[in-house]
Amino acid sequence: MTERPEGARARPRTSVDEAEVERFSALAAEWWDPRGSFAVLHRFNPVRLAYIRDQVVRHFGRDDADPKPLASLRVLDIGCGGGLICEPMARLGAEVTGIDPSERNIGIASAHAGQMGLDIRYLATTVEDIAETDPPYDLVLNLEVVEHVADVEPFIAACARATRPGGMMIVATINRTLRSFALAIVGAEYILGWLPRGTHQWEKFVTPQELAVALGRAGMAVTDQTGVVFDPIAGAWRRSGDSSVNYMVTATRLKPA
């Protein structure tokens, strides 16, 4: 057995999948191109943002007419990529921290926020590390990340540790069904070309039941779930009772008894 050199520290356990980091790092320059590799996220953003805003207003008792309903709330965006969610969160008044294991993504996000005159804290780190170094957040955003991590349950546990008691987490991900294989992989990647081929691996998709179990074990309770579907006539995404492909979940961090 090889001994660790004196003073060396074991690398902390992380849910990061290095292959996924490399894949998205290679596309970093395209984050803010609405016709590039992330075009589908640009089209998906309005329904995500409306859902986040609605859930925040309801949970924290904010004024729905307030143009900045997230004022004074500390928000953590996990796997922030180029900052597509961080920037609108900042415009809604939140104090935003965006984290991503990809240095290239963080560089793109920081540069774009600077161009927009937005004060957003970006860090190239993992949720496991941020949960150890930062005070817990009011709102943790976990959007299109679960299906890319190496191990879902410890990842969700770290996300929960980053959420303050009484705070909330919003998760957006893809269900593991035959329909999601047909639409999210075959359709979106191979036929329509909405995403680069290989973006998703069907076996890594997470069912709502699996997600609820992981959240429950981490001390969080699901308070809302909605499906998201693409309306080809309107050319836009909308909320739906159909969670067989895309879905979003809100969970609250339980307060100690």
Side-chain angles (χ1 to χ4, degrees):
M1 181 176 67
T2 302
E3 293 186 3
R4 189 179 301 126
E6 185 177 354
R9 299 175 63 184
R11 185 175 182 180
R13 178 177 173 82
T14 176
S15 53
V16 170
D17 184 324
E18 294 294 345
E20 296 280 13
V21 174
E22 290 178 11
R23 181 178 297 113
F24 285 100
S25 292
L27 301 170
E30 298 186 50
W31 275 108
W32 288 98
D33 180 357
R35 295 181 178 83
S37 296
F38 300 105
V40 68
L41 289 182
H42 285 268
R43 298 172 77 178
F44 201 43
N45 248 11
V47 71
R48 297 196 299 182
L49 293 170
Y51 181 75
I52 293 167
R53 191 182 189 283
D54 289 350
Q55 292 298 311
V56 167
V57 165
R58 183 177 71 177
H59 182 77
F60 292 105
R62 297 303 176 96
D63 181 359
D64 189 48
D66 188 342
K68 293 193 174 183
L70 275 65
S72 78
L73 293 180
R74 296 177 62 251
V75 175
L76 174 65
D77 184 16
I78 299 168
C80 65
L84 301 189
I85 287 290
C86 288
E87 292 199 7
M89 291 294 102
R91 291 190 177 97
L92 289 173
E95 179 186 325
V96 183
T97 294
I99 65 170
D100 197 289
S102 167
E103 294 272 4
R104 291 191 64 191
N105 286 346
I106 290 300
I108 293 291
S110 297
H112 196 272
Q115 292 167 4
M116 297 295 106
L118 296 172
D119 183 14
I120 299 173
R121 177 186 181 226
Y122 283 115
L123 299 171
T125 188
T126 66
V127 67
E128 289 84 359
D129 285 343
I130 210 77
E132 296 296 324
T133 60
D134 279 15
Y137 288 78
D138 300 298
L139 171 63
V140 171
L141 300 177
N142 185 345
L143 311 177
E144 280 68 54
V145 178
V146 171
E147 67 271 23
H148 297 292
V149 302
D151 197 337
V152 171
E153 196 152 312
F155 170 71
I156 290 294
C159 295
R161 292 195 300 275
T163 310
R164 71 165 175 83
M168 61 190 292
M169 183 196 306
I170 294 179
V171 183
T173 190
I174 306 176
N175 200 349
R176 192 176 66 256
T177 62
L178 291 178
R179 193 157 184 258
S180 71
F181 180 82
L183 296 180
I185 294 182
V186 177
E189 296 183 19
Y190 289 83
I191 297 176
L192 298 174
W194 283 359
L195 295 166
R197 294 184 180 186
T199 296
H200 291 118
Q201 300 170 54
W202 183 79
E203 64 273 12
K204 295 180 75 172
F205 290 172
V206 181
T207 70
Q209 295 79 14
E210 291 167 345
L211 181 59
V213 167
L215 287 165
R217 289 175 176 167
M220 304 199 71
V222 173
T223 57
D224 188 79
Q225 179 183 319
T226 183
V228 185
V229 299
F230 183 72
D231 183 342
I233 296 177
W237 294 86
R238 61 176 175 81
R239 288 182 236 180
S240 166
D242 181 1
S243 296
S244 63
V245 184
N246 295 86
Y247 67 98
M248 296 186 288
V249 164
T250 297
T252 300
R253 178 74 186 273
L254 300 175
K255 296 181 179 180

Coordinates of all heavy atoms in Angstrom, one line a residue, residues 51-52 54-56 58-59 168-172 208 211-212 215 221-227 239-240 243 247-252:
Y51 N -41.5 29.5 -13.2 CA -41.7 28.6 -12.1 C -41.0 29.0 -10.8 O -41.5 29.0 -9.7 CB -41.3 27.2 -12.6 CG -41.5 26.1 -11.5 CD1 -42.8 25.6 -11.3 CD2 -40.5 25.6 -10.8 CE1 -43.1 24.7 -10.3 CE2 -40.7 24.6 -9.8 CZ -42.0 24.1 -9.6 OH -42.2 23.2 -8.7
I52 N -39.7 29.3 -11.0 CA -38.9 29.7 -9.8 C -39.5 30.9 -9.2 O -39.7 31.0 -7.9 CB -37.4 30.1 -10.3 CG1 -36.7 28.8 -10.8 CG2 -36.6 30.7 -9.1 CD1 -35.4 29.1 -11.5
D54 N -42.6 32.0 -9.2 CA -43.9 31.6 -8.6 C -43.6 30.9 -7.2 O -44.3 31.2 -6.2 CB -44.7 30.8 -9.5 CG -45.3 31.5 -10.7 OD1 -45.2 32.8 -10.7 OD2 -45.8 30.9 -11.6
Q55 N -42.7 30.0 -7.2 CA -42.4 29.2 -6.0 C -41.8 30.1 -4.9 O -42.2 30.0 -3.8 CB -41.5 28.0 -6.3 CG -42.1 27.0 -7.2 CD -43.3 26.3 -6.6 OE1 -43.3 25.9 -5.4 NE2 -44.4 26.3 -7.3
V56 N -40.9 31.0 -5.3 CA -40.3 31.9 -4.3 C -41.4 32.8 -3.7 O -41.4 33.0 -2.5 CB -39.2 32.7 -5.0 CG1 -38.8 33.9 -4.1 CG2 -38.0 31.8 -5.3
R58 N -44.5 32.4 -3.4 CA -45.4 31.6 -2.5 C -44.7 31.2 -1.2 O -45.3 31.4 -0.1 CB -45.9 30.4 -3.2 CG -46.9 29.6 -2.4 CD -47.5 28.4 -3.2 NE -46.5 27.4 -3.4 CZ -46.7 26.2 -4.0 NH1 -47.9 26.0 -4.5 NH2 -45.8 25.3 -4.1
H59 N -43.5 30.7 -1.4 CA -42.8 30.1 -0.2 C -42.4 31.2 0.8 O -42.5 31.0 2.0 CB -41.6 29.3 -0.6 CG -40.9 28.7 0.5 ND1 -41.3 27.5 1.1 CD2 -39.7 29.0 1.1 CE1 -40.5 27.2 2.1 NE2 -39.5 28.1 2.1
M168 N -35.5 26.6 0.4 CA -36.0 25.7 -0.6 C -35.0 25.4 -1.7 O -34.0 26.2 -2.0 CB -37.3 26.3 -1.2 CG -37.0 27.7 -1.9 SD -38.6 28.5 -2.4 CE -39.2 27.5 -3.6
M169 N -35.2 24.3 -2.4 CA -34.4 23.8 -3.5 C -35.4 23.6 -4.7 O -36.4 23.0 -4.5 CB -33.6 22.6 -3.2 CG -32.7 22.1 -4.3 SD -32.1 20.4 -4.2 CE -31.5 20.4 -2.5
I170 N -35.0 24.0 -5.9 CA -35.7 23.7 -7.1 C -34.9 22.9 -8.0 O -33.7 23.2 -8.3 CB -36.2 25.0 -7.8 CG1 -37.2 25.7 -6.9 CG2 -36.8 24.6 -9.1 CD1 -37.8 27.0 -7.4
V171 N -35.4 21.7 -8.4 CA -34.7 20.8 -9.2 C -35.4 20.7 -10.6 O -36.7 20.5 -10.6 CB -34.6 19.4 -8.6 CG1 -33.8 18.4 -9.5 CG2 -34.0 19.4 -7.2
A172 N -34.7 20.8 -11.7 CA -35.3 20.5 -13.0 C -34.4 19.4 -13.6 O -33.2 19.5 -13.7 CB -35.3 21.8 -13.9
P208 N -39.1 10.9 -10.8 CA -39.5 11.7 -9.7 C -39.6 10.9 -8.4 O -39.3 11.5 -7.3 CB -41.0 12.1 -10.1 CG -40.9 12.0 -11.6 CD -40.0 10.9 -12.0
L211 N -36.0 10.8 -7.1 CA -35.6 12.1 -6.7 C -36.2 12.4 -5.3 O -35.5 12.9 -4.4 CB -36.0 13.2 -7.7 CG -35.6 14.6 -7.3 CD1 -34.1 14.7 -7.1 CD2 -36.1 15.5 -8.4
A212 N -37.5 12.1 -5.1 CA -38.2 12.3 -3.9 C -37.5 11.5 -2.7 O -37.4 12.0 -1.6 CB -39.7 12.0 -4.0
L215 N -34.2 13.2 -1.9 CA -34.5 14.5 -1.1 C -35.0 14.2 0.3 O -34.5 14.8 1.2 CB -35.6 15.3 -1.9 CG -35.2 16.0 -3.2 CD1 -36.4 16.4 -4.0 CD2 -34.3 17.2 -2.9
A221 N -38.4 18.0 2.0 CA -39.8 17.5 1.7 C -40.2 18.2 0.4 O -40.2 19.4 0.2 CB -40.8 17.9 2.8
V222 N -40.7 17.3 -0.6 CA -41.2 17.8 -1.9 C -42.5 18.6 -1.6 O -43.5 18.0 -1.0 CB -41.4 16.7 -2.9 CG1 -42.1 17.2 -4.1 CG2 -40.1 16.1 -3.2
T223 N -42.6 19.8 -2.1 CA -43.9 20.6 -1.9 C -44.6 20.9 -3.2 O -45.7 21.3 -3.2 CB -43.5 21.9 -1.3 OG1 -42.6 22.6 -2.0 CG2 -43.0 21.7 0.2
D224 N -43.9 20.6 -4.4 CA -44.5 20.9 -5.7 C -43.8 20.1 -6.7 O -42.6 19.9 -6.7 CB -44.5 22.4 -6.0 CG -45.4 22.7 -7.2 OD1 -46.6 22.8 -7.1 OD2 -44.8 22.9 -8.3
Q225 N -44.6 19.7 -7.7 CA -44.0 19.1 -8.9 C -44.8 19.4 -10.2 O -46.0 19.5 -10.1 CB -43.9 17.5 -8.8 CG -43.4 16.9 -10.0 CD -43.4 15.3 -10.0 OE1 -43.1 14.8 -8.9 NE2 -43.7 14.7 -11.0
T226 N -44.1 19.7 -11.2 CA -44.8 20.0 -12.5 C -44.0 19.4 -13.7 O -42.8 19.3 -13.6 CB -44.9 21.5 -12.7 OG1 -45.7 21.8 -13.9 CG2 -43.6 22.2 -12.8
G227 N -44.7 19.0 -14.6 CA -44.1 18.5 -15.9 C -43.9 19.7 -16.8 O -44.4 20.8 -16.6
R239 N -45.6 24.6 -18.7 CA -45.8 23.6 -17.7 C -47.0 22.7 -18.0 O -47.9 23.1 -18.8 CB -46.2 24.4 -16.4 CG -45.0 25.1 -15.7 CD -45.4 25.7 -14.4 NE -45.1 27.1 -14.4 CZ -45.3 28.0 -13.4 NH1 -45.9 27.5 -12.3 NH2 -45.0 29.2 -13.5
S240 N -47.0 21.5 -17.5 CA -47.9 20.5 -17.8 C -48.1 19.5 -16.7 O -47.2 19.4 -15.9 CB -47.5 19.8 -19.1 OG -48.2 18.6 -19.4
S243 N -45.3 14.6 -16.6 CA -43.9 14.6 -16.1 C -43.1 13.4 -16.7 O -42.0 13.0 -16.2 CB -43.8 14.4 -14.6 OG -44.4 15.6 -14.0
Y247 N -39.4 17.5 -16.1 CA -40.2 17.9 -14.9 C -39.3 18.8 -14.0 O -38.1 18.8 -14.0 CB -40.7 16.7 -14.2 CG -39.7 15.8 -13.5 CD1 -39.5 15.9 -12.1 CD2 -39.0 14.8 -14.2 CE1 -38.5 15.1 -11.5 CE2 -38.1 14.0 -13.5 CZ -37.8 14.1 -12.2 OH -36.9 13.3 -11.5
M248 N -40.1 19.5 -13.1 CA -39.4 20.4 -12.1 C -40.1 20.1 -10.7 O -41.3 19.8 -10.6 CB -39.6 21.9 -12.4 CG -38.9 22.3 -13.7 SD -38.9 24.1 -14.1 CE -40.6 24.3 -14.5
V249 N -39.2 20.1 -9.7 CA -39.7 19.8 -8.3 C -39.2 20.9 -7.4 O -38.1 21.4 -7.5 CB -39.1 18.5 -7.9 CG1 -39.2 18.3 -6.4 CG2 -39.8 17.3 -8.6
T250 N -40.1 21.3 -6.4 CA -39.7 22.2 -5.4 C -39.6 21.4 -4.1 O -40.6 20.6 -3.8 CB -40.6 23.4 -5.2 OG1 -40.6 24.1 -6.4 CG2 -40.3 24.2 -4.1
A251 N -38.6 21.6 -3.3 CA -38.5 20.9 -2.0 C -38.0 21.9 -0.9 O -37.3 22.8 -1.2 CB -37.5 19.7 -2.1
T252 N -38.6 21.7 0.3 CA -38.2 22.6 1.4 C -37.3 21.8 2.4 O -37.6 20.7 2.7 CB -39.5 23.0 2.1 OG1 -40.3 23.7 1.2 CG2 -39.2 23.9 3.3

